[in-house]
Amino acid sequence: MKRMIIASLFLITACKEEKKEIQPQAPQESVSQKTETGISENKRDESGEAKKWLEKSIENYFKADLGNLDEEMQKITTKEYYDYKTDAMNVDMDVDGSLTLKEFQNKWKNKFDVRKAGINSGFLISGQDWEEIKVSKCEQVLESIPFSKSDPVMFIFDVILSDKKLKSEYPVEIEVIKQNDSFLIANVSQE
């Protein structure tokens, strides 16, 4: 009898399947992955969309009729940046509403880096004449993470605009925000 019990135990342990523990996996949060450059990759690739939008918007702006440039600028910029840049272009000019340099600095110093406003320069480029402006470099250097849902996502791009016919290059840093499912230029840093 003893042998039978021992044989039965061997048989039971030999035939017994290993139990594999199945651990329930916690649902993964949609956390942005960081690339080698430290820029997060969104599932929808918002940064790629912002880059394409920026390149297309810049080139379309410079293809527009000269009489429509102001209207085109308003379409692709935030209202606040449009007002700021308009003031910067008109500093010490003999036009209605123009400001002195000191008045300009006092008005905008809390919202923008007035040293990089591109005072008396045009929108995006310092040159007054151009033939064909192309984006020769557009590299994302930063993507912000909004503190709340009401804050826009911001992308900063290092951009070089080139006019090969006039042999000119214009390096700028452009902030693009995503607001209400569309992109807008929120600032351009020009030397």
Side-chain angles (χ1 to χ4, degrees):
M1 182 84 177
K2 218 177 194 184
R3 287 184 188 177
M4 196 179 210
I5 293 176
I6 292 175
S8 296
L9 284 176
F10 280 120
L11 186 63
I12 291 173
T13 56
C15 293
K16 191 177 181 183
E17 288 185 37
E18 280 186 35
K19 288 184 182 178
K20 293 184 180 179
E21 283 189 41
I22 300 174
Q23 296 178 351
Q25 292 184 347
Q28 293 185 354
E29 295 180 34
S30 60
V31 176
S32 298
Q33 298 290 321
K34 296 268 184 177
T35 63
E36 291 176 15
T37 60
I39 298 169
S40 68
E41 293 179 26
N42 288 337
K43 287 185 178 179
R44 289 184 43 214
D45 191 28
E46 285 182 336
S47 62
E49 291 173 20
K51 179 182 176 178
K52 286 178 189 173
W53 174 87
L54 181 60
E55 291 171 335
K56 182 180 176 186
S57 296
I58 289 171
E59 291 184 6
N60 287 343
Y61 171 80
F62 286 104
K63 288 178 185 174
D65 292 332
L66 291 176
N68 295 334
L69 287 179
D70 189 62
E71 184 180 319
E72 291 297 315
M73 181 180 164
Q74 287 181 48
K75 287 181 188 176
I76 63 173
T77 61
T78 62
K79 179 173 178 6
E80 184 174 54
Y81 176 73
Y82 172 79
D83 292 341
Y84 165 72
K85 185 58 185 175
T86 301
D87 282 350
M89 290 189 290
N90 294 324
V91 165
D92 290 327
M93 296 285 211
D94 192 21
V95 294
D96 286 341
S98 71
L99 305 171
T100 65
L101 179 59
K102 190 72 172 163
E103 290 170 332
F104 172 79
Q105 290 170 334
N106 286 336
K107 179 178 179 179
W108 294 107
K109 68 182 176 190
N110 293 327
K111 295 184 181 188
F112 294 95
D113 183 353
V114 294
R115 297 169 298 163
K116 296 184 178 185
I119 293 175
N120 299 126
S121 292
F123 174 55
L124 297 170
I125 64 171
S126 57
Q128 293 191 10
D129 297 319
W130 66 86
E131 290 288 323
E132 185 178 4
I133 298 290
K134 294 283 184 189
V135 177
S136 58
K137 175 187 171 190
C138 185
E139 195 174 283
Q140 181 184 347
V141 293
L142 181 73
E143 176 179 346
S144 72
I145 299 171
F147 290 112
S148 69
K149 289 186 179 189
S150 63
D151 290 340
V153 177
M154 180 185 61
F155 307 93
I156 298 179
F157 295 93
D158 248 347
V159 178
I160 296 178
L161 304 174
S162 301
D163 189 337
K164 293 191 179 191
K165 291 181 181 178
L166 295 180
K167 297 178 183 168
S168 299
E169 286 195 333
Y170 306 98
V172 291
E173 186 178 90
I174 301 175
E175 292 178 24
V176 174
I177 62 166
K178 182 168 186 187
Q179 200 170 39
N180 302 326
D181 291 327
S182 65
F183 298 102
L184 293 170
I185 293 173
N187 192 18
V188 179
S189 295
Q190 295 173 272
E191 296 298 323

